[in-house]
């Protein structure tokens, strides 16, 4: 049991979890408790099936206002997400009493401001995540760039009790609460649905989400697979589409590269960050530091998880047909991406990042601070684009 759990620990080990589970079938079933979130009407609005919600009618759902665009955003979610890490202590200790006082005063002002930042539709977003999970990082990059305020709940990867309300047992999960919670599963569905919601003037979020149904099937090995229809498609009318994309090609290109991120780029992360025993240990050290672990749990995770992932990384390398030297695939992907962006352009989206830029950035960012990231920066042409992305997201944050 303990070994299975450790296996689930790595947020970078999203692939591993399934493999491990298959190996020790049955042990984890107790963890996947079906849950329900009580809504305003006392009814369960959140999907409790493994499929995406909203294929069946929900009682008590409040249609979300299309006035989302009009509201001012803030960074409360981010700040609260960091609360557990003792931000106050760090800031107070580092900057001294005077600075701390300024900070406290600043916080008070911010709190007042935040009270005026309630979205028109009353929609509150909560992102359930592992900080170092590439899928979650992708969603965060999207939310941050679009200045959509959100609370962050760091899920404990061992028990995952923070998402016990959900029968969908992966992260990211985005809960949009407009009186009743609407649950969005899968990073690309979350991004497509939320982008549609930000732009579309006609549709409620509930309606938008209904356009991304979950399709369940079994693969050739008899394993259950869930696919989401329209995953990369934005549900916009002709006029909205024309406003967003300079051309049909630009729209298709964005979809193509978003797919590439999910089908190829993410698979390069684990084999690269767990490439050697030393790198695997450094990766798990980072995962444990950033994640929501108990202290004993964390220690256990660090060493056992690193050892397990070193071997699993090799298996993943084979499964995805990576070269023996996995760095070469990472370098190639980075340079392929730079080439796709093009010479005279800042981003694939032109002067502003599009959803593909945000997806690539979100995935690569989880390697920051690790050797694989430094090697990629040193051996490819991706650095200027990456820096522009970092600046673009920081500039948005600075506006608030
Ligand atoms: N296709 C999903 C993949 C999400 C995913 O695999 N998440 C991993 C964490 S990185 C997870 O929650 N794994 C837990 C599990 O498989 O039980 C997405 O894009 O959101």
């Amino acid at each position: 049991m303990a070994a299975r759990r450790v296996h689930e620990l790595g947020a970078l080990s999203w692939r591993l979890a399934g493999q491990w589970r298959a190996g020790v079938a049955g042990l984890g079933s107790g963890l996947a408790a079906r849950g329900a979130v009580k809504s305003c009407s006392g009814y369960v609005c959140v999907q409790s099936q493994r499929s995406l919600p909203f294929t069946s009618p929900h009682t008590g759902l409040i249609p979300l206002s299309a006035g989302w665009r009009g509201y001012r955003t803030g960074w409360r979610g981010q700040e609260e997400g960091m609360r557990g890490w003792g931000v106050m202590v760090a800031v107070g200790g580092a900057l001294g009493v005077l600075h701390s006082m300024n900070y406290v005063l600043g916080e008070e002002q911010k709190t007042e401001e935040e009270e005026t930042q309630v979205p028109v539709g009353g929609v509150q977003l909560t992102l359930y995540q592992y900080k170092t999970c590439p899928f979650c990082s992708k969603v965060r990059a999207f939310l941050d760039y679009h200045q959509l305020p959100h609370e962050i709940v760091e899920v404990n990867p061992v028990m995952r009790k923070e998402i016990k309300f959900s029968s969908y047992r992966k992260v990211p999960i985005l809960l949009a609460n407009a009186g009743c919670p609407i649950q969005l599963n899968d990073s690309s569905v979350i991004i497509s649905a939320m982008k549609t919601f930000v732009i579309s003037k006609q549709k409620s979020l509930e309606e938008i989400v209904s356009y991304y149904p979950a399709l369940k099937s079994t693969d050739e090995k008899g394993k259950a697979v869930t696919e989401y229809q329209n995953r990369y498609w934005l549900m916009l009318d002709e006029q909205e589409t024309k406003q967003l994309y300079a051309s049909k090609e630009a729209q298709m290109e964005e979809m193509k590269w978003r797919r590439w991120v999910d089908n190829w780029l993410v698979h390069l992360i684990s084999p690269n960050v767990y490439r050697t025993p030393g790198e695997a240990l450094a990766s798990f050290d980072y995962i444990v530091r950033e994640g929501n672990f108990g202290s004993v749990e964390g220690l256990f995770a660090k060493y056992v998880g690193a050892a397990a992932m070193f071997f699993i990384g090799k298996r993943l390398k084979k499964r995805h047909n990576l070269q023996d030297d996995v760095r070469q695939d990472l370098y190639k992907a980075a340079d392929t991406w730079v080439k796709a962006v093009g010479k005279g352009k800042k981003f694939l989206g032109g002067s502003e990042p599009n959803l593909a830029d945000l997806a690539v950035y979100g995935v690569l960012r989880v390697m920051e601070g690790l050797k694989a990231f430094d090697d990629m920066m040193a051996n490819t042409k991706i650095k200027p684009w990456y820096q522009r992305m970092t600046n673009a997201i920081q500039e948005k944050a600075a506006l608030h």
Side-chain angles (χ1 to χ4, degrees), residues 54-365:
F54 319 120
T55 45
S56 58
H58 295 273
T59 311
L61 274 174
I62 298 171
L64 309 184
S65 159
W68 179 279
R69 285 164 302 284
Y71 80 77
R72 297 177 55 218
T73 57
W75 292 90
R76 186 181 53 184
Q78 300 249 320
E79 283 156 12
E80 288 191 2
M82 291 165 70
R83 194 171 42 200
W85 295 96
V87 170
M88 286 301 289
V89 174
V91 173
L95 304 181
V97 176
L98 189 62
H99 237 108
S100 296
M101 279 174 68
N102 284 340
Y103 179 83
V104 170
L105 287 173
E107 282 299 285
E108 272 169 13
Q109 280 167 3
K110 234 185 260 170
T111 308
E112 272 173 29
E113 253 177 47
E114 279 159 4
E115 275 162 16
T116 65
Q117 290 173 355
V118 175
V120 177
V123 185
Q124 286 176 338
L125 300 177
T126 306
L127 176 67
Y128 292 83
Q129 68 154 18
Y130 304 146
K131 190 177 174 195
T132 52
C133 151
F135 301 105
C136 303
S137 173
K138 191 152 64 103
V139 171
R140 262 192 343 265
F142 166 83
L143 294 173
D144 290 349
Y145 183 73
H146 290 81
Q147 300 169 312
L148 300 174
H150 53 281
E151 308 274 341
I152 288 183
V153 175
E154 189 67 26
V155 175
N156 175 289
V158 183
M159 297 305 290
R160 291 181 287 175
K161 68 177 186 324
E162 295 81 0
I163 55 167
K164 73 168 185 257
F165 60 83
S166 168
S167 63
Y168 177 78
R169 301 301 292 161
K170 294 184 177 183
V171 290
I173 291 172
L174 188 74
L175 270 198
N177 198 332
C180 283
I182 298 177
Q183 180 174 337
L184 288 88
N185 306 330
D186 187 88
S187 58
S188 290
V189 171
I190 294 171
I191 290 168
S192 297
M194 291 310 297
K195 181 75 183 186
T196 303
F197 185 55
V198 166
I199 293 172
S200 176
K201 294 172 181 65
Q202 331 289 350
K203 303 175 195 79
S204 69
L205 186 57
E206 186 193 4
E207 182 192 347
I208 292 167
V209 175
S210 72
Y211 298 131
Y212 301 94
L215 304 176
K216 292 176 178 188
S217 59
T218 39
D219 65 13
E220 63 283 358
K221 289 178 190 148
K223 204 180 134 207
V225 213
T226 306
E227 267 303 317
Y228 295 95
Q229 214 170 358
N230 308 318
R231 199 186 216 155
Y232 302 100
W233 191 256
L234 306 187
M235 300 298 163
L236 304 174
D237 64 24
E238 218 180 306
Q239 203 184 339
E240 291 160 349
T241 306
K242 276 191 181 146
Q243 267 167 21
L244 185 62
Y245 298 107
S247 63
K248 188 89 190 152
E249 289 71 45
Q251 184 186 11
M252 292 303 134
E253 193 181 43
E254 181 187 79
M255 281 172 53
K256 173 184 148 185
W257 288 102
R258 286 180 70 197
R259 257 196 210 101
W260 175 80
V261 170
D262 287 354
N263 295 339
W264 178 243
L265 191 64
V266 283
H267 300 311
L268 304 180
I269 307 293
S270 287
N272 271 284
V273 301
Y274 302 120
R275 189 181 60 148
T276 63
E279 285 182 66
L281 199 61
S283 297
F284 258 87
D285 181 54
Y286 160 63
I287 287 166
V288 169
R289 246 185 301 122
E290 298 291 338
N292 173 9
F293 291 92
S295 47
V296 179
E297 211 175 66
L299 206 65
F300 192 57
K302 184 174 156 184
Y303 294 100
V304 184
M309 279 316 291
F310 170 70
F311 293 107
I312 300 286
K314 306 288 169 223
R315 246 171 80 184
L316 293 174
K317 177 169 119 178
K318 258 201 197 125
R319 180 191 287 181
H320 298 294
N321 289 322
L322 305 197
Q323 297 178 46
D324 224 24
D325 176 4
V326 289
R327 283 290 197 274
Q328 296 311 318
D329 283 308
L330 183 64
Y331 298 161
K332 196 168 164 210
D335 282 333
T336 302
W337 171 248
V338 172
K339 205 167 160 207
V341 170
K343 270 218 168 80
K345 273 162 73 191
K346 281 171 86 177
F347 306 103
L348 187 79
S351 55
E352 297 286 331
N354 67 10
L355 297 182
D357 286 292
L358 291 165
V360 174
Y361 179 77
V363 166
L364 294 180
R365 164 170 85 166

